[in-house]
Amino acid sequence: MMRIDVLTLFPRMFEGPMGESIIGKAREKELLEINVSNFREFSDNKHQTVDDYPYGGGAGMLLKVQPIYDNLKAIETATPQTKKRIILLDPAGKKFDQKMAESFSQEEHLVFICGHYEGYDERIRSLVTDEVSLGDYVLTGGELGAMVMIDATVRLLPEVLGNETSAQTDSHSTGLLEHPQYTRPAEFQGMTVPSVLMNGNHKLIEEWRLKESLRRTYYRRPDMLVDYPLTAEMKKMLQEIAEEASAEDESK
């Protein structure tokens, strides 16, 4: 079982998302345990303040190191047997991606620290193993980012998804965007399913899927192809895709 702890000032934000869909099912199957704590409760002053003005002046408030430290200490006391990966949600951190989700999914115990206000006391960074950003934009706090990372991670745990190959063939897991997919009916308002998918020839189906995956990546995320280890077959397919794109442009 994986254990996840979340340190936040707004624990109620996690009540819905962490109990529904894939995450909810993983918890029901006892494949996952999630604990959310309000680090305000670990403040050492009677007003339970967790922030203060920065030394040297400046705008905004900083999260204090003491409540975070004591919250992490309580988690360690409760679970001394687990090896913990402690993740600080921070705009300056490494950008979260599928490879990081895969790495997180291999851990037994993850701890997410959700920041707020203008930033952190720098000493908080000495308490963590990872500093991670969801992307190149700023959110009000780290809660939404933590939820996204937890969702991306949990779905990769063994037995969480109904089809074990689903996570392996997702976009970004293979290094390419996923190919188009279709289900019944075969025709809807003039839009039809490609005939190759219905002819039962699995070799042709796999070739079509590979080419369409390359095509989608070529058009939407060409940057993903720069360092991708292309086989001779893939290179040939990409050449055909480029020629088809050129012919389409000329016909316009």
Side-chain angles (χ1 to χ4, degrees):
M1 178 192 294
M2 171 181 275
R3 171 167 171 150
I4 295 178
D5 277 275
V6 181
L7 281 62
T8 174
L9 293 174
F10 303 97
R12 285 169 50 186
M13 289 181 68
F14 291 83
E15 290 177 2
M18 297 297 102
E20 299 292 338
S21 187
I22 296 299
I23 294 177
K25 291 178 181 177
R27 297 177 76 177
E28 289 175 6
K29 294 178 182 178
E30 297 186 349
L31 301 172
L32 172 70
E33 177 184 352
I34 297 181
N35 300 279
V36 181
S37 55
N38 187 340
F39 58 84
R40 187 179 297 281
E41 297 175 1
F42 291 85
S43 175
D44 63 0
N45 67 79
K46 64 179 181 179
H47 299 295
Q48 291 192 311
T49 56
V50 294
D51 62 317
D52 209 336
Y53 295 102
Y55 280 116
M61 308 285 278
L62 299 179
L63 284 179
K64 299 168 65 175
V65 63
Q66 176 272 317
I68 300 291
Y69 175 86
D70 284 353
N71 198 162
L72 291 175
K73 186 176 180 181
I75 292 171
E76 178 60 33
T77 299
T79 57
Q81 74 282 6
T82 63
K83 181 181 179 182
K84 299 164 184 66
R85 192 160 177 180
I86 303 173
I87 301 139
L88 184 70
L89 278 291
D90 184 60
K94 184 177 180 180
K95 190 182 294 185
F96 184 73
D97 58 15
Q98 188 66 20
K99 287 185 178 180
M100 192 179 295
E102 291 169 0
S103 176
F104 285 173
S105 72
Q106 302 300 310
E107 304 293 341
E108 60 177 334
H109 193 166
L110 299 175
V111 182
F112 291 88
I113 302 174
C114 303
H116 226 70
Y117 306 110
E118 289 298 316
Y120 302 98
D121 182 308
E122 188 68 17
R123 290 165 291 188
I124 291 174
R125 301 185 193 279
S126 68
L127 308 176
V128 309
T129 59
D130 300 82
E131 297 177 32
V132 185
S133 168
L134 191 60
D136 295 333
Y137 45 86
V138 179
L139 298 174
T140 303
E143 286 75 17
L144 294 176
M147 291 180 206
V148 169
M149 294 178 196
I150 291 170
D151 184 275
T153 299
V154 169
R155 66 189 307 279
L156 298 174
L157 297 178
E159 301 181 43
V160 167
L161 294 182
N163 184 343
E164 289 301 313
T165 62
S166 294
Q168 297 170 14
T169 58
D170 283 337
S171 292
H172 300 289
S173 286
T174 63
L176 300 171
L177 297 183
E178 193 170 27
H179 54 76
Q181 299 193 77
Y182 301 86
T183 188
R184 295 173 178 82
E187 186 275 332
F188 180 75
Q189 296 188 356
M191 297 178 286
T192 59
V193 175
S195 59
V196 66
L197 298 178
M198 298 185 289
N199 66 16
N201 188 321
H202 295 291
K203 183 175 185 298
L204 291 179
I205 289 172
E206 289 306 310
E207 289 175 355
W208 180 88
R209 286 175 171 170
L210 176 58
K211 185 171 182 178
E212 294 309 307
S213 181
L214 287 165
R215 187 190 308 277
R216 181 162 284 180
T217 308
Y218 175 85
Y219 278 104
R220 301 185 183 184
R221 289 291 307 275
D223 57 293
M224 294 174 66
L225 295 170
V226 174
D227 296 317
Y228 191 83
L230 296 169
T231 64
E233 181 186 17
M234 290 178 174
K235 291 177 180 178
K236 181 180 178 182
M237 288 179 175
L238 277 174
Q239 180 62 35
E240 292 172 357
I241 291 167
E243 291 173 356
E244 291 164 8
S246 179
E248 185 178 337
D249 289 340
E250 290 176 2
S251 67
K252 291 181 180 178

